[in-house]
Amino acid sequence: MRAAAARCQTRSGLPNPLWAAEPALGCQPPGLPTRSGREPALGCRTRSGLPSAAVALPGWSAVAAEGRDSPAERCTPISETLKLLPEELKANMKIKSITPRPPRKPRLERAASLDEKSWRKWRRFRTSQESLTDPNETSSSNGSLQEASPSPPSRAKASPCCPQDSSHSSPDALEAAPVGKSRGGASDLGKRASEISSAFGGLLRGKGFAGGKPRLSQIMPARPLPPMELNVASHSLRTANRIDADCLDYRHYSQHKFGRVSSSLSDSRLQGNGTLYDNCSTDSMKSTFSLLTPIRAKDVRSRSYLEGSLLASGALLGAEELSRYFPDRNIGIFVATWNMQGQKELPVNLDDFLLPTDPDFAQDMYVIGVQEGCPDRREWEIRLQETLGPHYVLLHSAAHGVLYMSVFIRRDLIWFCSEVEYATVTTRIVSQIKTKGALGICFTFFGTSFLFITSHFTSGDSKVNERKLDYNKTIQALTLPKNVPDTNPYRSSSSDVTTRFDEVFWFGDFNFRLNKDRETVDSILNQNPDTDVSKLLVYDQLTSEMSRGSIFKGFQEADIHFRPSYKFDIGKDSYDTTSKQRTPSYTDRVVFRSRYKDDIQAVKYSSCPVIKTSDHRPVFALFRVKVRPGRDNIPLAAGQFDRELYLIGIRRRITRELQKRLEQKDQKSSSICSIS
């Protein structure tokens, strides 16, 4: 076999030893004819006789696959290369002298050649074809991971002479240069060329080519991840917008209509990768344009609400709307009572009272009842709004003498409330200032009716019967509801207002005392600050009367684990030290009842010992209440709330924050020098 050495030049004109090959295989760049006029065969052979991984494109340096050799083993002059070649190959090679030219200056921009354009077109086609055919593709939908593949071969730098793998070749070589005849046979060469093309194509894309499908290696964490519940939705995030059932195909429609590419956090990707997710977060991602629920134009034309249907898809208070905001159909309610003793001075901070750290999340509704309230009722409501912040609005407030009640609700939920109604009852007619009596507020939320009553019963250690009379007068004289329809009139009684509502919360200063002397009560309390108060509840008047059924029929009370809320010295933690020596008692209470069993679950029942501006400590309770869908044919509040109070409270809040920041800045900038 007689072979002649072919010459392969770089842009600088120097010979490239990578292109030494047999004459029949030709070493000129693909697509250019040889001197004999025949199309050269694909690829060039290295000194080992195997095809080289480099392909030269017009006007550019040869591209070689990245080798495993060290950087020192670069392309050597042709004389040194001949020393390494076999003696037989040296005798058959013909070397033609050339005149070296200085390298040209690199250009910053260059128009893409035809070969490069075809390579790009081929690469885009193959990438799109693989993403369509491979269902297990785990890369980003917009191809962000695929863009990490190497640049086209025409832009690559010349690599070391020794190739890393003899099976690498350029995909353009197959397209540009047809396989010519060789001594080894056209069929063998064609088969080898196809293998080289597929292998080198996978290399250019930066992927492995096992099995013909590119796959990325799985990334494993260095240590086991901590266990996590499957449902990671918190109570404060229950209002995540969930897409309507009639809009489930909205994403599919918008992709084809508007050409939007699906997000990399699609539902199938989350499920395929085993990512923890929940229904709320997954459904909220179904909106194409924002987190708000997408609304069809035809729905805007057709929906009118006020349909009066319980299960209609267009009902404002129906099951679909309820499930969107409350998937578990439970609402969090904060109920508090506090006898302010008529003090003008309000606490500096109400955070510990309204926003206790346990639990971590705020509630959906806040109802605060006050007995012997401060003279400036509006200032008290502003302070409440300032503490709760911009997430809550005042749905309604009412007063009866010095009895105050305020109902705050999350601003997202005001559209699902009916009109709010209230009524009052006076139990002490002789008094000019109404200090004793009851105040009730009622409304319907979705399909569940609520009644909140705050009362101040007759005081005195031995006046248990008078307090029971106050209770009986209240349930008979409180005329509610007025215009809001009863959700279940068959279970209502005209003689008891508490039977006409689904959920009832009664709280206030009931003035029931402990039937025990002061010394015995003090001895129990002084045994241990964390003592079991069940020993005191044995002497509690209200607990005894409720067990007999003489008061608060059908009501329940959560377990008490806090110290008596009455009577303290103002500004101190000590109980009454005056000459009267009143016995500490649980006068401030919160009780509840429901038409349906287990609709109300008590979460927490406690007092707030840090507020010391009165002889009473505030008492609060947290509840989880089940809500049912309702009908739209009720008088809706239509988002009504106290806008003026909202703006004043928010301005106060931001002013307070700015003052805090200014004080902190002044403290950091000021310096105090002490001379000893």
Side-chain angles (χ1 to χ4, degrees), residues 130 133-136 205 207-216:
E130 290 167 1
T133 57
D134 189 7
N136 296 324
R205 292 191 300 273
K207 303 174 182 178
F209 43 86
K213 292 184 178 181
R215 296 182 184 277
L216 297 177

Side-chain angles (χ1 to χ4, degrees), residues 198-267:
S198 61
F200 189 58
L203 176 64
L204 291 178
R205 292 191 300 273
K207 303 174 182 178
F209 43 86
K213 292 184 178 181
R215 296 182 184 277
L216 297 177
S217 59
Q218 185 178 4
I219 300 176
M220 300 299 295
R223 62 185 62 182
L225 297 177
M228 183 179 296
E229 297 180 359
L230 181 61
N231 188 358
V232 297
S234 60
H235 294 305
S236 64
L237 300 179
R238 291 190 317 277
T239 58
N241 292 292
R242 309 208 316 170
I243 197 166
D244 288 333
D246 55 351
C247 295
L248 289 177
D249 60 337
Y250 193 84
R251 172 184 285 272
H252 178 75
Y253 170 79
S254 61
Q255 290 176 1
H256 290 79
K257 184 70 176 176
F258 305 105
R260 291 291 295 268
V261 181
S262 60
S263 172
S264 59
L265 291 178
S266 61
D267 300 346

Side-chain angles (χ1 to χ4, degrees), residues 409-543:
I409 192 171
R410 288 187 62 169
R411 63 186 186 190
D412 314 76
L413 307 177
I414 57 177
W415 304 100
F416 311 109
C417 298
S418 70
E419 291 182 353
V420 183
E421 301 173 342
Y422 81 98
T424 61
V425 174
T426 301
T427 56
R428 183 182 293 181
I429 304 176
V430 180
S431 176
Q432 295 181 354
I433 301 178
K434 299 180 179 63
T435 58
K436 300 295 188 293
L439 168 63
I441 291 180
C442 69
F443 60 93
T444 299
F445 183 73
F446 279 98
T448 302
S449 57
F450 288 88
L451 173 63
F452 299 93
I453 304 175
T454 182
S455 296
H456 193 185
F457 292 163
T458 303
S459 60
D461 292 349
S462 59
K463 295 184 178 181
V464 177
N465 292 329
E466 286 80 353
R467 288 190 275 271
K468 291 192 292 185
L469 291 176
D470 293 342
Y471 163 78
N472 291 325
K473 185 176 182 179
T474 300
I475 62 176
Q476 295 174 8
L478 206 59
T479 57
L480 290 174
K482 300 176 182 179
N483 298 324
V484 178
D486 191 349
T487 57
N488 194 344
Y490 301 102
R491 303 182 64 175
S492 302
S493 173
S494 58
S495 60
D496 189 351
V497 66
T498 61
T499 62
R500 300 194 285 268
F501 295 88
D502 296 328
E503 322 295 344
V504 181
F505 297 89
W506 201 328
F507 47 98
D509 183 2
F510 298 153
N511 263 321
F512 285 95
R513 311 299 174 92
L514 295 178
N515 289 326
K516 205 64 177 176
D517 58 275
R518 173 68 184 269
E519 294 181 359
T520 304
V521 173
D522 285 344
S523 63
I524 296 175
L525 292 175
N526 294 332
Q527 289 179 0
N528 191 344
D530 299 329
T531 184
D532 185 8
V533 296
S534 60
K535 298 178 181 179
L536 293 176
L537 296 176
V538 176
Y539 311 108
D540 181 57
Q541 295 176 351
L542 180 59
T543 304

Side-chain angles (χ1 to χ4, degrees), residues 9 57 64 97 119 124 134 163 185 215 289 304 320 347 481 498 518 562 598 632:
Q9 297 182 359
L57 294 179
S97 61
W119 183 89
R124 287 196 298 268
D134 189 7
R215 296 182 184 277
F289 300 103
S304 59
E320 288 186 2
T498 61
R518 173 68 184 269
F562 53 92
D598 298 332
D632 292 353

